[in-house]
Amino acid sequence: MLTRILDQFGIQVETVNEVADSHGSTVYKCTLRHGETIFVKIPYSKLKCQRELEAYEILKGRVAIPNLLDYWAGDEECPGAFLLSQLKGQPLTAQASPTVAFQVGVLHASMHVVQPPDGQPLVGIQNEFPNWSSFVERHFYSFAEDVKEVVEPSLFKQAIAHFEKIKYQLPSPDGPSFIHMDFRPANIIVDGQNVSGTIDFESVRFGSTEMDFTKINRDFLSLDATLNQAYQDGYNSIRPLIDLEVVLPFYRFTDAFNSIGWCKRRGIDQHALFYEENVAILRDALK
């Protein structure tokens, strides 16, 4: 498959390495003969491919992202492929400085100020904001049958009852905003004391910002109060940050539930650690 894609792009490479921690899509880091590093990304499906393509068009010049060097629409065997420039640096870690955390907040808010484009029809990126509560419920229940098959009945029943009880407690949605839906350290690239940008737009939507803080809080902000404050300061320098304490418990719970369903769909054995982590989060949320 990769050889065919490289032929489509008309490039020859010296070395190829598959990128780890790329959930769903397949990403290759390629070194060209003259030393340049580029990435080839094969999205999980044609819909996700279309979402990502539209995201590059919408975010270009507004948010720090890789340059889209080339695009192949794919065929019956391949959903499509992107040829992308390299963002210099490595994925964000919990050892980052407050300076970096501030920039992460700026980056996140810079996405959230992007609104649905006027007069530009979108095929892949849906605007879910006008019916946000229905989207949240539909998103949750779309994974319910998968979750039901891989957790004990009592836990599943408790999760459904909890969702029905707390779904009415959310504040008015904040948006419409471009939301990443997978804004986590692995998708944020840092070069020393500078944030280079963000990657991976297969799950993006226009919707309420409230759904977009769960993963960055789980994997970064919740680990260090100083970094959390620096992130919030950076975010607030671009747009007002909503009260995270109000929405995070709900989305922490639903994200864990949905992630369990995602693991069932993509293969429990292949994603065993991620599955166990989310079962633990779900149990904790239901205490």
Side-chain angles (χ1 to χ4, degrees), residues 12-33:
Q12 296 180 324
V13 301
E14 287 289 306
T15 62
V16 176
N17 293 286
E18 187 167 353
V19 176
D21 201 22
S22 180
H23 295 167
S25 61
T26 303
V27 182
Y28 296 98
K29 182 178 181 179
C30 305
T31 303
L32 305 183
R33 289 184 174 177

Side-chain angles (χ1 to χ4, degrees), residues 63-117:
V63 177
I65 61 173
N67 292 324
L68 177 59
L69 304 175
D70 205 347
Y71 166 68
W72 177 47
D75 54 23
E76 294 79 9
E77 297 179 1
C78 177
F82 299 99
L83 187 66
L84 303 168
S85 69
Q86 180 185 32
L87 288 179
K88 188 177 180 182
Q90 301 295 327
L92 176 69
T93 71
Q95 286 70 50
S97 69
T99 298
V100 167
F102 183 94
Q103 293 176 52
V104 172
V106 169
L107 175 67
H108 207 184
S110 297
M111 277 196 296
H112 289 170
V113 298
V114 176
Q115 296 189 337

Side-chain angles (χ1 to χ4, degrees), residues 21 42 108-109 167 211 257:
D21 201 22
I42 308 169
H108 207 184
K167 67 181 182 181
M211 185 178 271
F257 184 92

Side-chain angles (χ1 to χ4, degrees), residues 50-270:
Q50 183 63 31
R51 278 196 200 126
E52 183 127 354
L53 180 62
E54 292 174 355
Y56 287 121
E57 296 170 353
I58 291 168
L59 298 180
K60 184 178 181 180
R62 307 175 75 176
V63 177
I65 61 173
N67 292 324
L68 177 59
L69 304 175
D70 205 347
Y71 166 68
W72 177 47
D75 54 23
E76 294 79 9
E77 297 179 1
C78 177
F82 299 99
L83 187 66
L84 303 168
S85 69
Q86 180 185 32
L87 288 179
K88 188 177 180 182
Q90 301 295 327
L92 176 69
T93 71
Q95 286 70 50
S97 69
T99 298
V100 167
F102 183 94
Q103 293 176 52
V104 172
V106 169
L107 175 67
H108 207 184
S110 297
M111 277 196 296
H112 289 170
V113 298
V114 176
Q115 296 189 337
D118 292 331
Q120 180 180 342
L122 298 174
V123 176
I125 302 178
Q126 297 86 4
N127 182 6
E128 306 288 359
F129 187 78
N131 300 291
W132 183 249
S133 60
S134 297
F135 167 72
V136 172
E137 185 162 351
R138 187 172 69 251
H139 198 59
F140 179 84
Y141 278 107
S142 71
F143 288 106
E145 288 303 313
D146 300 284
V147 176
K148 189 176 184 178
E149 295 183 24
V150 293
V151 302
E152 59 265 35
S154 60
L155 183 62
F156 178 79
K157 184 177 180 180
Q158 188 180 2
I160 296 297
H162 186 66
F163 178 81
E164 289 298 327
K165 177 181 177 181
I166 66 174
K167 67 181 182 181
Y168 300 107
Q169 299 173 11
L170 289 174
S172 298
D174 173 51
S177 294
F178 185 99
I179 53 176
H180 190 284
M181 300 282 285
D182 197 20
F183 195 72
R184 58 190 176 96
N187 289 330
I188 302 165
I189 307 302
V190 178
D191 181 29
Q193 292 298 303
N194 296 302
V195 173
S196 300
T198 186
I199 59 175
D200 192 1
F201 308 104
E202 292 190 14
S203 300
V204 300
R205 306 287 201 281
F206 284 102
S208 174
T209 65
E210 63 194 51
M211 185 178 271
D212 220 23
F213 299 100
T214 307
K215 295 176 182 179
I216 190 65
N217 181 75
R218 178 192 66 198
D219 299 337
F220 183 67
L221 302 179
S222 64
L223 306 180
D224 189 304
T226 301
L227 297 182
N228 191 348
Q229 186 59 58
Y231 163 90
Q232 295 197 28
D233 290 343
Y235 190 100
N236 280 315
S237 72
I238 302 297
R239 73 186 300 272
L241 181 64
I242 62 174
D243 187 347
L244 296 183
E245 297 303 316
V246 173
V247 299
L248 279 174
F250 176 86
Y251 285 105
R252 181 173 182 265
F253 156 70
T254 56
D255 180 69
F257 184 92
N258 296 345
S259 295
I260 293 168
W262 182 92
C263 289
K264 167 61 172 62
R265 292 180 184 180
R266 301 295 178 89
I268 294 290
D269 291 341
Q270 300 95 308

